[in-house]
Amino acid sequence: LDFKHIMPRKRTRSERKFSSSLDPKGKQIKQKEVQVLVKRLRLKRQPATDEGAKKAQRSSASDSDKVSDVKEVLDIKDASAETSLLQFKFERILSENPTSKSVVVYGKFPDKSDENFAVILAEKTAFSHEAVKNLFTENTSFMRNFQNDIYGQYSSDAGIKLTVIYPATEKHVKKYSQQQSYMVQESAAAYVTKIKSYAETQALSLQWVDNILDGHAEADRVIYNDEDPETGFLLLPDLKWSQENVEDLYVLAIVRKKGILCLRELDASHLPLLENVCEQARKAIEVKYKVPANQIRAYIHYHPTYYHLHIHFTMIGYHAPGSMVGQSHLLEDVIDNLKHVDSHYYRDKTMTYQVREDSPLLPLLKT
């Protein structure tokens, strides 16, 4: 592969909050890695100022009954900080964030005190430009997990996961490039006169979806298969999920019934299909991954990435791409709206959603 350049990706709010974006090994921190990670941490000292010293003194005095001064506990000196961290005794994980690839751990420094405890934040860092270039050399070997049409997935012993799109189109380049986004409104009339014809055109090039539904590709990745032509669906892991941790679980239900382009096309006649997906997919996830149904978020994108009805299932603690307001619609809400509000609720509704600057939808809505 002749490496060209990195297409910048705008960080999410969670990533900015935790000052972390991508994981160079393509996976979140697991509990068994924690002790190795904390041993590699380096404490950063803040420049001392008079005001900072006063604040530290006030903070130390107010918390003296709970924990002694951090400098005293860790013996923070340029030469000894590393030694202290090597003595850290991991006890438990307080929290973890699969989006930012960060974890907060609780433990002690037995060599310093048996009473005082420590809280350590560990984060995996982003790819550097040089690290990306080195991925595509003889020093890194990858094994192909599967190939479906132009999409392939590869993994390495180093824990790096690659999704390869080849031959890629200009549409793919735009999709994965950093761009400005806007909130827009789409009336029912605008969908019928301007948007639907675009969606129908896009739906003609979904060979990879047909390959999955026909069993010609990714058959070994299928979690659940309901072959009913009207209410059936296939459930399988999303390409974005490494399948190594349930904390960032992400699976897709692709319906068998063709011709349902998107949320707009749903009406009360599709309730048996939607209710079947909602119930059976959650059961299958619970059986396969031991995750209770009430910890799973199910939603439909509008507009979707591809125009064949599919439903996303993710862990509620995972801020998955596209799970925010302005793009996702909860499956239970969709069912309720069609059942109790209006059988053609989404056909007649004005839809407000997020659209990227280079999206073909933007000029259509402006005309």
Side-chain angles (χ1 to χ4, degrees):
L1 177 67
D2 183 16
F3 171 76
K4 296 294 185 182
H5 64 279
I6 297 176
M7 293 183 290
R9 181 176 69 84
K10 188 175 182 180
R11 296 191 298 170
T12 65
R13 181 176 299 176
S14 295
E15 290 171 329
R16 291 194 297 273
K17 177 180 178 182
F18 284 93
S19 302
S20 176
S21 52
L22 297 175
D23 168 15
K25 291 191 175 182
K27 59 182 180 179
Q28 73 181 76
I29 298 171
K30 295 194 293 186
Q31 182 163 336
K32 66 181 181 181
E33 298 178 284
V34 170
Q35 287 199 293
V36 176
L37 288 167
V38 297
K39 288 180 180 179
R40 295 176 180 174
L41 292 176
R42 299 293 184 270
L43 299 181
K44 298 181 179 179
R45 299 184 65 187
Q46 298 296 329
T49 63
D50 291 342
E51 182 60 28
K54 292 178 181 178
K55 289 182 178 179
Q57 289 174 358
R58 290 195 296 270
S59 175
S60 178
S62 62
D63 293 339
S64 60
D65 292 336
K66 298 180 181 179
V67 62
S68 61
D69 183 15
V70 173
K71 287 184 64 178
E72 180 182 343
V73 174
L74 300 185
D75 189 20
I76 298 180
K77 299 174 183 176
D78 291 343
S80 63
E82 180 178 353
T83 303
S84 295
L85 284 173
L86 290 174
Q87 299 301 320
F88 178 72
K89 182 181 179 182
F90 166 77
E91 292 193 11
R92 68 178 187 271
I93 291 178
L94 297 179
S95 64
E96 51 189 319
N97 188 304
T99 304
S100 64
K101 306 295 189 296
S102 64
V103 64
V104 182
V105 300
Y106 173 97
K108 295 182 179 180
F109 290 90
D111 60 321
K112 299 297 180 183
S113 171
D114 290 330
E115 297 179 357
N116 297 321
F117 55 85
V119 173
I120 294 181
L121 287 75
E123 303 171 74
K124 289 192 173 182
T125 57
F127 281 108
S128 68
H129 193 276
E130 191 64 29
V132 173
K133 291 171 61 177
N134 290 335
L135 285 177
F136 310 109
T137 66
E138 60 184 12
N139 297 325
T140 308
S141 60
F142 288 91
M143 177 181 67
R144 186 168 70 181
N145 299 328
F146 71 86
Q147 185 73 39
N148 183 358
D149 197 37
I150 65 173
Y151 300 95
Q153 189 180 85
Y154 298 76
S155 60
S156 75
D157 292 338
I160 300 173
K161 184 192 74 173
L162 297 182
T163 297
V164 177
I165 306 172
Y166 182 80
T169 65
E170 190 62 30
K171 178 181 176 182
H172 294 108
V173 175
K174 290 180 178 179
K175 175 182 176 181
Y176 292 104
S177 299
Q178 181 176 332
Q179 298 171 36
Q180 182 64 51
S181 294
Y182 305 95
M183 296 301 295
V184 298
Q185 287 192 311
E186 173 193 293
S187 66
Y191 174 76
V192 173
T193 60
K194 302 174 182 180
I195 307 298
K196 186 173 182 177
S197 58
Y198 164 77
E200 290 173 334
T201 301
Q202 297 300 306
L204 296 176
S205 55
L206 292 176
Q207 184 60 50
W208 68 273
V209 174
D210 293 335
N211 289 344
I212 293 175
L213 294 175
D214 296 338
H216 299 323
E218 304 185 47
D220 59 332
R221 302 178 70 242
V222 173
I223 302 167
Y224 181 84
N225 184 6
D226 184 335
E227 298 183 352
D228 189 287
E230 293 295 320
T231 62
F233 66 97
L234 275 172
L235 190 70
L236 71 167
D238 186 272
L239 289 178
K240 291 183 284 294
W241 184 33
S242 67
Q243 301 183 61
E244 296 186 6
N245 302 280
V246 295
E247 287 81 5
D248 57 348
L249 180 146
Y250 196 146
V251 300
L252 285 178
I254 303 176
V255 305
R256 288 196 169 276
K257 187 177 179 64
K258 296 187 177 183
I260 309 176
L261 297 172
C262 59
L263 186 62
R264 283 279 195 192
E265 301 294 314
L266 292 172
D267 57 40
S269 69
H270 298 114
L271 284 171
L273 166 62
L274 297 175
E275 290 172 336
N276 184 51
V277 173
C278 187
E279 180 180 359
Q280 298 304 324
R282 290 180 185 278
K283 286 183 178 179
I285 291 172
E286 184 164 8
V287 170
K288 176 74 173 179
Y289 302 110
K290 313 303 180 188
V291 178
N294 60 7
Q295 292 184 19
I296 296 294
R297 178 197 297 113
Y299 53 92
I300 300 173
H301 282 158
Y302 191 79
H303 278 262
T305 304
Y306 54 96
Y307 291 91
H308 176 103
L309 184 65
H310 56 283
I311 296 95
H312 304 254
F313 291 83
T314 63
M315 287 287 287
I316 58 175
Y318 174 47
H319 301 291
S323 61
M324 72 290 289
V325 173
Q327 190 171 0
S328 65
H329 299 258
L330 293 174
L331 179 57
E332 288 85 352
D333 287 348
V334 172
I335 292 172
D336 188 73
N337 287 332
L338 294 175
K339 184 182 292 186
H340 301 297
V341 180
D342 188 338
S343 62
H344 293 95
Y345 181 88
Y346 293 98
R347 182 194 67 182
D348 301 331
K349 176 180 171 59
T350 294
M351 304 288 282
T352 302
Y353 55 87
Q354 177 179 308
V355 64
R356 286 157 57 96
E357 188 172 33
D358 73 337
S359 170
L361 296 171
L362 198 57
L364 292 176
L365 292 170
K366 288 181 177 179
T367 58

